[in-house]
Amino acid sequence: MCGIVGYVGDGNALEVLTTGLSGLEYRGYDSAGVALGNGRLAVYKRAGELAELEDTLEDVDADGVRVGIGHTRWSTHGPPTDANAHPHTDAAGRVAVVHNGIIENYAALREELSAAGVAFESDTDTEVVPHLIARNLERGMAPERAFRAAIGRLEGSYAIAATVAGSEVVHAARKESPLVIGLGEGATYLASDVPAFIEFTDRVIYLEDDQFARLDAGGAVVADADGAVLDPPVDTIEWDPEDAGKSGYDHYMLKEINEQPSALRDCLRGRIDGLEGSVHLEELAGLEPSGPIQLVACGTSYHAALFAAGMFRRRGIHADAFIASEYHADRLPVDADTLVVGVTQSGETADTMRALREANRAGARTLAVTNVVGSSAARECDRTLYIRAGPEIGVAATKTFASQQLALALVVAELTGSSHGLVDELRDVPDAVQTVLDTSRASEVADAYVDADAYFFIGRGYQYPVALEGALKMKEITYRHAEGFAAGELKHGPLALVTEETPVFALVTGEGELARKTVGNVKEVEARGAPVVAVSDGRTEVDRYADELLSVPEIGEIGAAVAANVQLQLVSYWVANSLGRSIDRPRNLAKSVTVE
Ligand code: F6R
């Protein structure tokens, strides 16, 4: 996830672009850059937050520059450095390109271009694009044709903007990554999201997949992949510009919950082959386990680690999940045959980092599963797999948990050679999550139980970590008492807490023994008068004993755990919303916990 901006008009392009980039910083903030067109292209780019770029731009005289593109980056290929920041150009500096998404066939394109004598200056997938366009220009194509032909070579997802020196035009193309055009008076804007230009215009055209646009100061021409000119609808945005970064949602948390289908698609992109039914994670080559697997993590990430440990064990591999602050390599059997997996969204959590350092010192092999390219965890570990969820602004982890679940499922499939059967299941998860988002009754359930004394969450198997995660989310954003239990443990103590004032959320999916036994636990709860909210795929008779039902689609057990969690995220969100809590910044909590 990155942010793109583009501008052509009679104003100062540099001012518009930097305003736009600050409106998109929530999409990425590890490096930023702009290309200004003024006869020839001038490119300025810097690693770090936007302020770093702004410092560099302070002395740049951009009077009279009417066209430009800009980018704020959330790294996916290559660490956040000046060289890897966008825009990228061809060798002659004739074409500048910014990109959001992942070009799956970039390695093959890079090889082809290198063989033709092109020298690359970055580690990014994006850099192939300006070189492809430049080659087309050299072959005599006009800029628009050169751009379209280059885009035609790409596989994967992209929102791309390009400008060619000497033209006051921005070219754009979209596939599975957002792009929106803003129509002003004597000026036309382009961005990944409306906040980039909402202060200049509220008239927008949302570009659809496989559409191209040619922007000049007079407006935009939108065409389909075959070049047929389209007549797309022009919408009027009605948000308060103050809230624009949230794309119209009241909170980042709700926005991020709703981003899960696309985050999950990004996580899977290029890593599964639906036809072959196989998983390909180059990042893990040579890492096949020769001994036990130890997963270390904190909070929500620990719940993802527990989930993954269960998957490994089901495939006959000895795996344990540790709360990172309770992991001490000198008190455990750890040696060169041990694989220690650090699961951490931020890649900076002090407890997880200490555990990983200890594991490294003890001679274990280490793998980071993280969201942040170039983070401390990525640098500490022998290998890194990025979950590709994009930046998460809400303190409560939501989309990153779902992406961790899928990324870890891929790790399990790759390391245990058990991708067969799993690939079909994983591929269906983004759609299943979308179905939950489209049909959820979570806000009604939240209204029904907003005054409860406490909330309990129960599940077995893969739904046990989800029960823990459901309770954690409820605690941190509502400040209400909540606990998650293994469903079978209720009768060993916690049942004493169950009353008519304590709703019990029961996670019951599938039709196997674990689901049937959880139904038995639901009956025990119901007999004590507690309200039951079943999170169910309808494959057991749990619905009969439930006061409320939150449905999830019939899908495999991994997908069911991802989808069920989304229902619980929504319930917590709506309870917290009714209580007027500070949802994006809960009291006493921080997004990145860098102290032990
Ligand atoms: C809960 C939450 C925290 C984090 C934990 C670990 O919503 O966000 O529990 O999961 O602090 O953080 P990372 O994953 O960055 O190591």
Side-chain angles (χ1 to χ4, degrees):
M1 186 159 161
C2 302
I4 286 180
V5 290
Y7 175 78
V8 208
D10 49 16
N12 179 320
L14 180 56
E15 274 174 29
V16 176
L17 293 176
T18 49
T19 305
L21 289 177
S22 61
L24 293 184
E25 253 193 315
Y26 75 88
R27 298 182 64 86
Y29 37 70
D30 64 30
S31 41
V34 293
L36 303 172
N38 195 10
R40 58 178 199 81
L41 294 176
V43 175
Y44 305 92
K45 48 192 200 166
R46 288 295 296 273
E49 294 191 359
L50 187 55
E52 302 282 334
L53 176 68
E54 285 169 344
D55 280 353
T56 307
L57 293 172
E58 221 156 61
D59 300 327
V60 171
D61 177 10
D63 273 358
V65 175
R66 291 160 46 90
V67 57
I69 54 177
H71 189 267
T72 177
R73 180 166 184 246
W74 179 260
S75 313
T76 56
H77 289 79
T81 59
D82 289 354
N84 287 337
H86 300 212
H88 292 285
T89 60
D90 63 312
R94 204 177 154 199
V95 182
V97 168
V98 291
H99 164 226
N100 167 32
I102 295 164
I103 298 170
E104 286 171 18
N105 60 335
Y106 89 98
L109 292 171
R110 197 174 164 118
E111 218 168 276
E112 174 190 318
L113 289 160
S114 300
V118 171
F120 282 82
E121 308 221 318
S122 77
D123 311 318
T124 64
D125 52 343
T126 306
E127 199 190 335
V128 295
V129 185
H131 293 301
L132 286 171
I133 298 173
R135 278 214 312 181
N136 293 341
L137 291 171
E138 279 158 25
R139 287 174 184 147
M141 291 186 198
E144 188 171 351
R145 202 167 145 232
F147 176 74
R148 294 177 72 98
I151 300 298
R153 302 283 320 275
L154 308 182
E155 289 167 20
S157 70
Y158 47 78
I160 289 182
T163 188
V164 176
S167 72
E168 288 192 349
V169 173
V170 171
H171 302 278
R174 173 204 153 129
K175 187 174 178 202
E176 295 173 23
S177 292
L179 262 188
V180 55
I181 296 165
L183 303 173
E185 295 299 324
T188 310
Y189 307 82
L190 179 77
S192 302
D193 199 356
V194 175
F197 55 65
I198 185 102
E199 73 175 73
F200 305 116
T201 182
D202 58 2
R203 294 175 57 236
V204 305
I205 296 171
Y206 289 99
L207 219 56
E208 304 281 340
D209 278 351
D210 301 313
Q211 290 183 349
F212 290 78
R214 180 186 187 281
L215 281 65
D216 61 24
V221 178
V222 176
D224 69 12
D226 301 322
V229 174
L230 305 167
D231 185 17
V234 177
D235 291 328
T236 303
I237 297 292
E238 280 162 13
W239 315 328
D240 175 351
E242 289 274 296
D243 284 336
K246 298 172 197 149
S247 307
Y249 290 101
D250 286 342
H251 298 96
Y252 280 109
M253 181 180 176
L254 188 57
K255 175 170 178 280
E256 287 156 4
I257 289 173
N258 278 280
E259 281 170 357
Q260 288 177 113
S262 71
L264 294 174
R265 282 188 194 105
D266 284 346
C267 178
L268 296 177
R269 194 177 310 286
R271 292 170 167 174
I272 58 174
D273 183 328
L275 287 179
E276 278 182 24
S278 55
V279 169
H280 303 288
L281 296 181
E282 291 162 11
E283 297 90 333
L284 271 53
L287 211 60
E288 289 72 28
S290 49
I293 294 181
Q294 299 172 347
L295 298 113
V296 293
C298 306
T300 292
S301 297
Y302 169 68
H303 300 148
L306 260 186
F307 177 72
M311 283 190 276
F312 275 117
R313 288 196 295 261
R314 279 211 77 179
R315 287 160 181 79
I317 303 284
H318 179 166
D320 295 296
F322 294 82
I323 292 172
S325 54
E326 291 296 318
Y327 179 89
H328 303 287
D330 58 351
R331 299 180 193 189
L332 287 163
V334 182
D335 59 25
D337 288 331
T338 315
L339 174 63
V340 178
V341 183
V343 185
T344 165
Q345 184 282 131
S346 62
E348 304 296 342
T349 301
D351 291 319
T352 310
M353 287 309 302
R354 183 202 49 77
L356 287 171
R357 285 190 194 108
E358 279 190 21
N360 269 336
R361 274 200 298 273
R365 293 171 307 155
T366 49
L367 166 69
V369 176
T370 183
N371 197 27
V372 182
V373 174
S375 57
S376 299
R379 292 199 304 273
E380 177 69 29
C381 291
D382 301 329
R383 301 294 179 83
T384 300
L385 182 74
Y386 292 111
I387 64 172
R388 300 180 183 162
E392 193 172 60
I393 309 291
V395 163
T398 51
K399 62 174 178 173
T400 54
F401 178 66
S403 299
Q404 286 170 338
Q405 287 176 296
L406 276 209
L408 287 163
L410 293 174
V411 170
V412 172
E414 175 84 18
L415 294 186
T416 62
S418 62
S419 50
H420 213 73
L422 205 57
V423 167
D424 284 346
E425 174 176 352
L426 297 183
R427 207 178 31 185
D428 291 343
V429 179
D431 286 347
V433 169
Q434 189 63 58
T435 304
V436 168
L437 293 169
D438 293 343
T439 59
S440 178
R441 294 183 54 252
S443 68
E444 291 161 53
V445 172
D447 283 349
Y449 300 117
V450 68
D451 294 321
D453 285 350
Y455 302 86
F456 298 125
F457 297 83
I458 59 170
R460 287 173 185 253
Y462 293 144
Q463 296 291 14
Y464 166 52
V466 176
L468 298 181
E469 173 60 11
L472 178 63
K473 218 80 319 175
M474 186 65 94
K475 280 178 224 184
E476 63 178 332
I477 64 164
T478 71
Y479 316 155
R480 287 289 180 76
H481 182 218
E483 294 298 334
F485 301 110
E489 273 292 290
L490 267 191
K491 57 187 176 296
H492 298 290
L495 204 53
L497 294 173
V498 166
T499 71
E500 287 168 9
E501 308 303 327
T502 57
V504 177
F505 289 77
L507 300 155
V508 191
T509 53
E511 51 200 349
E513 196 192 345
L514 296 187
R516 283 199 305 277
K517 285 189 173 164
T518 311
V519 177
N521 303 127
V522 165
K523 290 184 196 163
E524 291 156 17
V525 164
E526 200 224 359
R528 275 128 191 115
V532 173
V533 180
V535 183
S536 157
D537 57 7
R539 284 194 272 187
T540 59
E541 77 278 16
V542 72
D543 307 8
R544 271 203 266 146
Y545 305 101
D547 298 271
E548 299 283 353
L549 182 64
L550 293 170
S551 295
V552 296
E554 272 193 36
I555 184 174
E557 50 188 355
I558 292 167
V562 180
N565 185 60
V566 176
Q567 291 283 22
L568 301 187
Q569 292 170 342
L570 288 167
V571 175
S572 292
Y573 173 81
W574 290 114
V575 172
N577 196 50
S578 293
L579 295 171
R581 301 300 192 224
S582 166
I583 292 180
D584 285 332
R585 290 173 192 266
R587 69 184 181 203
N588 306 337
L589 300 178
K591 186 72 186 158
S592 183
V593 186
T594 49
V595 289
E596 287 184 43

